């Protein structure tokens, strides 16, 4: 069921491995077969961490792996970064002064909590044009996920708000203290506390030795915070397999950092690089157009997608009257 490029990943991706998977090249299939191969070799599911971009993807991959193996897989650590973080923090919550039954607020509730903090600090009374809760939420989230200071985020993305920098920093600290007192975490807290856990030697040793193999999907969409977590978790066995495509990196507005994938061979010693260039989705004409555009990227891993489909018409530009 696999082509030679895919098969090579499944059998040879020991140690740090970067799989550059072009669009439509079967990366999901490769991850599922790699997982099945590890389980077939006798690796316990409890010692495998499989990180996906969505919970839906995790469920689909688990189901497909179980169909492939013709048995259920119990104990596998699979899901999004936030899902895995939640599982681990429930075990270690007391380390941060939280109880294990802490609540998780979604993005809208987190924004409302920020609004309460703005009100309690009296910023709206003093400053009629003080930034709205949505903007404050975005600034704080970008700072956490990119591992940068509030000032740097404001200067880079919101220079018009620079006069409020000291207020926003104070608000951020107040917001964090308020959450801790209420035994509440937001989505960003799940990741930042997970990383802080891994800064403690005993806990770091425990989890880096726990996960013998780490598989990561959509690696081009990871941010700096997620990168640091993966780097620490994989430090003992060094068996980290990441699958992604630098040409499909589009989430920088959510702090995704393309350098995570571009610098993988520099960060991980003796990293192997695999390429999946056989495309099962598009016609040769569409791939030719995409290849011609992408070749102009200055920083990239060069690859040329090859279609298995037969020739069809060239892509055309269609002008329309409006968006409808």
């Amino acid at each position: 069921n696999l082509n030679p490029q895919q098969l090579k990943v499944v059998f040879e991706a020991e140690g740090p491995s970067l799989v550059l998977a072009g669009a439509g090249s079967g990366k999901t299939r490769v991850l599922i077969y790699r997982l099945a191969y590890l389980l077939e070799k006798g690796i316990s599911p409890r010692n495998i961490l499989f990180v996906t971009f969505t919970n839906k993807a995790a469920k689909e991959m688990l189901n497909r792996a179980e169909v492939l193996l013709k048995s259920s897989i119990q104990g596998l650590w699979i899901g999004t970064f936030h899902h895995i973080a939640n599982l681990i923090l429930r075990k270690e919550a007391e380390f941060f002064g939280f109880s294990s039954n802490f609540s998780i607020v979604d993005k809208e509730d987190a924004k409302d909590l920020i609004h309460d903090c703005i009100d309690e600090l009296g910023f709206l009374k003093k400053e009629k044009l003080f930034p709205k809760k949505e903007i404050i939420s975005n600034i704080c989230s970008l700072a956490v996920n990119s591992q940068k200071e509030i000032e740097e985020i404001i200067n880079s993305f919101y220079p018009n708000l620079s006069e409020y920098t000291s207020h926003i920093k104070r608000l951020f600290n107040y917001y964090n203290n308020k959450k801790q007192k209420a035994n509440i975490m937001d989505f960003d807290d799940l990741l930042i506390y997970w990383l802080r856990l891994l800064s403690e030697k005993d806990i770091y040793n425990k989890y880096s030795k726990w996960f013998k193999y780490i598989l990561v999907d959509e690696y081009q969409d990871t941010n700096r915070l997620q990168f640091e977590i993966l780097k620490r978790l994989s430090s003992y066995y060094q068996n980290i397999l990441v699958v992604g495509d630098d040409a499909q990196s589009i989430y920088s507005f959510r702090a995704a950092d393309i350098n995570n994938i571009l610098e993988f061979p520099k960060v991980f010693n003796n990293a192997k690089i695999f390429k999946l260039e056989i495309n099962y989705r598009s016609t040769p004409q569409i791939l030719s157009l995409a290849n011609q555009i992408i070749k102009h990227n200055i920083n990239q891993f060069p690859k040329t997608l090859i279609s298995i489909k037969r020739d069809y018409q060239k892509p055309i530009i269609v002008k329309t009257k409006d968006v409808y």
Side-chain angles (χ1 to χ4, degrees), residues 279 282-291 305-313 315:
N279 177 285
S282 306
T283 63
Q285 285 75 14
I286 289 174
L287 286 186
S288 176
L289 175 62
N291 288 333
L305 297 182
I306 303 162
S307 175
I308 64 162
K309 291 183 177 269
R310 55 190 176 82
D311 283 352
Y312 195 61
Q313 68 187 52

Side-chain angles (χ1 to χ4, degrees), residues 292-308:
Q292 287 298 314
I293 293 169
I294 291 168
K295 78 176 186 181
H296 295 286
N297 285 358
I298 296 169
N299 297 314
Q300 65 162 310
F301 291 104
K303 55 190 169 299
T304 303
L305 297 182
I306 303 162
S307 175
I308 64 162

Side-chain angles (χ1 to χ4, degrees), residues 15-26:
S17 300
L18 169 62
V19 180
L20 298 165
S25 63

Side-chain angles (χ1 to χ4, degrees), residues 140-180:
C140 295
S141 185
L142 279 171
V144 169
N145 286 289
S146 63
Q147 293 286 274
K148 293 179 180 176
E149 297 295 329
I150 293 284
E151 292 99 325
E152 195 174 343
I153 297 299
I154 292 173
N155 291 337
S156 298
F157 298 98
Y158 300 93
N160 57 311
L161 301 180
S162 58
E163 63 183 291
Y164 300 112
T165 298
S166 61
H167 285 6
I168 294 171
K169 286 174 68 176
R170 185 180 165 204
L171 174 61
F172 185 44
N173 291 331
Y174 187 81
Y175 170 62
N176 286 332
N177 290 333
K178 190 177 181 73
K179 284 183 294 180
Q180 181 143 14

Side-chain angles (χ1 to χ4, degrees), residues 243-303:
V243 179
D245 183 7
D246 51 303
Q248 295 182 63
S249 177
I250 60 173
Y251 283 101
S252 58
F253 62 93
R254 284 190 351 206
D257 191 341
I258 193 172
N259 289 311
N260 289 355
I261 193 167
L262 292 176
E263 296 177 2
F264 187 90
K266 296 178 186 175
V267 174
F268 295 93
N269 293 329
N270 303 314
K272 298 176 183 174
I273 300 178
F274 302 87
K275 292 184 181 181
L276 302 182
E277 297 175 303
I278 300 172
N279 177 285
Y280 293 90
R281 184 186 301 162
S282 306
T283 63
Q285 285 75 14
I286 289 174
L287 286 186
S288 176
L289 175 62
N291 288 333
Q292 287 298 314
I293 293 169
I294 291 168
K295 78 176 186 181
H296 295 286
N297 285 358
I298 296 169
N299 297 314
Q300 65 162 310
F301 291 104
K303 55 190 169 299

Side-chain angles (χ1 to χ4, degrees), residues 111-119 121-140 150 154 157-169 171-172:
K111 289 174 188 175
D112 290 341
L113 193 57
I114 287 173
H115 181 77
D116 291 343
C117 293
I118 294 171
D119 192 40
L121 289 170
F123 288 159
L124 284 176
K125 293 175 184 175
K126 300 174 190 172
E127 305 281 354
K128 296 296 182 186
L129 297 177
F130 194 77
K132 291 191 169 22
K133 62 183 181 181
E134 290 82 6
I135 293 174
I136 298 295
S137 174
N138 204 34
I139 290 172
C140 295
I150 293 284
I154 292 173
F157 298 98
Y158 300 93
N160 57 311
L161 301 180
S162 58
E163 63 183 291
Y164 300 112
T165 298
S166 61
H167 285 6
I168 294 171
K169 286 174 68 176
L171 174 61
F172 185 44

Side-chain angles (χ1 to χ4, degrees), residues 22-33:
S25 63
K27 69 175 177 62
T28 302
R29 173 171 287 193
V30 167
L31 282 166
I32 291 165
Y33 273 77

